Amino acid sequence: HYFVPFIFQQQPTGSIPMQTNENTQPPIVVEQQTRVIPAQAFYLLQAGVYSDYHGAQTTMSMQKNDGRAAIIAGEGPYHVFVGLSFTKENAEMLKEMLASQGMEIYIKAYTIPTFTEEMSKKTFDLFFNWLDTGNKMAQVLSKQSIQALDNANTEIDYEQLQQLHQQFLLDKQTLLKALAEEELTTKQK
């Protein structure tokens, strides 16, 4: 199912030789299989829930002014989250540390459901590597958050976070390229 320009489909006349592409490769056969990525549980530390965005923005700004990370999630109600952990134990430690600073924190357990998709082993491996790099980055952030809250003099290892973030972005680009190639191959069948 290759695109062949119209001019090359016509028979040559006179002394003009027919042009061919010697670099044409046969289609790549990609064996599709159902791949499963297991559910992933994690814990978010919630500093508030607001019916209007302005209230959430005020809380987020206060957190950032105090040197803490904070994000707003949702489209109403608006949740303000100030931490993330992959273990309940670390979430409880973060909660206690923030509570000692006068904050009222709620731990919200979330689970990303099992992901099942038809894809090649190569794409699955790339997808899994991308997720794994993201998990490592989140774990480093969680660990360093606990250390920083426990000891205000603790330095955050921004170089390590930057390297993980760059790897995460590179893994994403590689994955997107493989997905596009696999989709093209599937359409050619």
Side-chain angles (χ1 to χ4, degrees):
H1 305 266
Y2 290 96
F3 174 73
V4 180
F6 175 73
I7 192 166
F8 298 135
Q9 292 177 351
Q10 297 181 8
Q11 293 299 318
T13 58
S15 63
I16 302 173
M18 183 171 178
Q19 298 181 10
T20 61
N21 184 354
E22 295 175 7
N23 295 325
T24 301
Q25 300 292 320
I28 299 170
V29 177
V30 177
E31 186 177 324
Q32 299 284 331
Q33 284 187 338
T34 300
R35 309 291 178 172
V36 177
I37 295 184
Q40 173 74 54
F42 60 97
Y43 303 88
L44 292 173
L45 284 82
Q46 180 179 290
V49 178
Y50 301 87
S51 58
D52 81 316
Y53 188 79
H54 180 70
Q57 182 68 40
T58 300
T59 297
M60 185 180 78
S61 295
M62 288 177 13
Q63 294 301 316
K64 288 186 175 190
N65 288 341
D66 288 342
R68 296 185 199 97
I71 63 162
I72 298 173
E75 296 181 15
Y78 303 96
H79 300 263
V80 178
F81 295 111
V82 294
L84 166 93
S85 176
F86 285 101
T87 67
K88 177 86 168 167
E89 178 185 0
N90 283 350
E92 290 290 345
M93 285 177 26
L94 283 167
K95 177 183 176 180
E96 288 175 24
M97 290 175 181
L98 292 169
S100 72
Q101 297 176 11
M103 293 180 62
E104 190 172 345
I105 300 294
Y106 300 93
I107 296 174
K108 299 289 183 176
Y110 284 89
T111 301
I112 299 171
T114 299
F115 178 76
T116 305
E117 186 68 35
E118 291 286 324
M119 65 179 75
S120 68
K121 180 172 179 357
K122 174 188 170 192
T123 302
F124 175 76
D125 290 345
L126 291 170
F127 187 69
F128 197 80
N129 286 341
W130 176 65
L131 290 176
D132 188 52
T133 302
N135 283 341
K136 287 176 186 173
M137 187 169 47
Q139 289 170 355
V140 168
L141 280 168
S142 178
K143 180 181 174 185
Q144 290 189 7
S145 295
I146 291 170
Q147 291 172 345
L149 287 170
D150 193 36
N151 179 359
N153 294 326
T154 300
E155 290 285 325
I156 302 291
D157 186 351
Y158 290 109
E159 185 175 329
Q160 181 185 20
L161 287 172
Q162 185 178 29
Q163 287 172 353
L164 284 168
H165 186 250
Q166 288 173 345
Q167 185 62 50
F168 182 76
L169 295 175
L170 287 172
D171 289 350
K172 177 184 171 188
Q173 288 175 346
T174 305
L175 173 61
L176 290 174
K177 181 180 177 189
L179 286 169
E181 289 172 359
E182 196 165 295
E183 184 177 337
L184 181 61
T185 302
T186 302
K187 285 181 180 180
Q188 290 177 350
K189 287 184 178 180

